[in-house]
């Protein structure tokens, strides 16, 4: 026979609320840091769409060739990429400013974490392996871009978003309990 569970005392309920509030504050900081990373990643896409060329070679020679073609499809693709990154940066932050956040936003955000870590991690590790094995060099702008700039920024964005989502769980649970 299982012993009865004791009722929660007001002190333990207060402690849980305090812990949830503290977790919610740290989660907001991580959501903000993730948003900054995402916006830093989005800004060059808009810049390149308007004709800017700085740092384009750090993406790869294909990017330089595409941008040099002047085709309107390339411009619209860069705008779409910039908008997708902007949405990926801001939607989780904005949705979690008011709790409870939408379940679909949390689900899509976790999927985003997986993509950011896998894509960024693969590109970063690939660049580092290329340099370490001698098949590539830091003298190549694309290696610098993928090994030290764009892909690490994807990884940091993914880590910040994962921490935000993880830290926001107690506040999310508490908000659902009081709203439902």
């Amino acid at each position: 026979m299982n012993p009865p569970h004791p009722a929660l005392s007001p002190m333990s309920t207060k402690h849980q609320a305090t812990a949830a509030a503290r977790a919610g504050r740290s989660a907001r900081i991580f959501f903000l840091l993730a948003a900054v990373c995402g916006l830093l990643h989005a800004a060059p896409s808009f810049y390149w769409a308007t004709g800017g060329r700085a740092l384009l070679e750090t993406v790869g020679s294909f990017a330089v060739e595409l941008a040099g073609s002047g085709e309107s499809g390339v411009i619209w693709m860069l705008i779409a990429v910039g908008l997708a990154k902007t949405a990926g940066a801001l939607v989780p932050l904005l949705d979690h400013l008011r709790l409870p956040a939408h379940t679909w936003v949390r689900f899509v955000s976790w999927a985003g974490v997986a993509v950011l870590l896998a894509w960024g991690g693969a590109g970063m590790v690939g660049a580092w392996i290329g340099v370490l094995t001698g098949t590539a060099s830091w003298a190549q702008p694309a290696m610098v871009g993928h090994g030290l700039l764009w892909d690490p920024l994807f990884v940091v964005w993914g880590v910040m978003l994962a921490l935000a989502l993880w830290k926001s769980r107690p506040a999310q649970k508490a908000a659902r309990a009081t709203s439902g």
Side-chain angles (χ1 to χ4, degrees):
M1 182 166 153
N2 292 334
H5 293 173
L8 290 176
S9 69
M11 188 60 150
S12 64
T13 303
K14 181 179 178 184
H15 177 71
Q16 288 175 339
T18 302
R22 191 173 22 252
R25 282 191 298 277
S26 64
R28 282 191 295 279
I29 291 168
F30 285 120
F31 277 118
L32 182 60
L33 292 171
V36 167
C37 290
L39 293 174
L40 285 172
H41 226 296
S45 298
F46 293 119
Y47 167 73
W48 294 326
T50 62
R53 295 295 174 253
L55 295 177
L56 191 57
E57 68 279 356
T58 63
V59 176
S61 58
F62 74 95
V64 175
E65 291 170 19
L66 275 174
S69 73
E71 293 181 29
S72 64
V74 173
I75 293 168
W76 287 108
M77 179 204 58
L78 287 167
I79 291 170
V81 167
L83 289 173
K85 289 177 181 178
T86 300
L90 294 179
V91 169
L93 170 67
L94 296 175
D95 194 53
H96 283 81
L97 291 177
R98 161 224 48 78
L99 292 175
H102 293 92
T103 303
W104 72 267
V105 171
R106 290 184 65 81
F107 178 80
V108 171
S109 295
W110 277 114
V113 165
V115 169
L116 289 166
L117 293 177
W119 185 274
M124 183 176 71
V125 169
W128 277 88
I129 288 172
V131 170
L132 291 174
T133 61
T135 59
S137 162
W138 290 126
Q140 297 168 284
M143 288 300 107
V144 172
H146 290 286
L148 302 174
L149 180 59
W150 306 118
D151 292 328
L153 186 54
F154 270 139
V155 170
V156 172
W157 181 6
V159 168
M160 292 299 110
L161 186 54
L163 288 169
L165 291 164
W166 184 260
K167 289 281 199 175
S168 66
R169 290 176 320 115
Q172 183 77 2
K173 185 184 272 186
R176 290 214 188 282
T178 59
S179 70

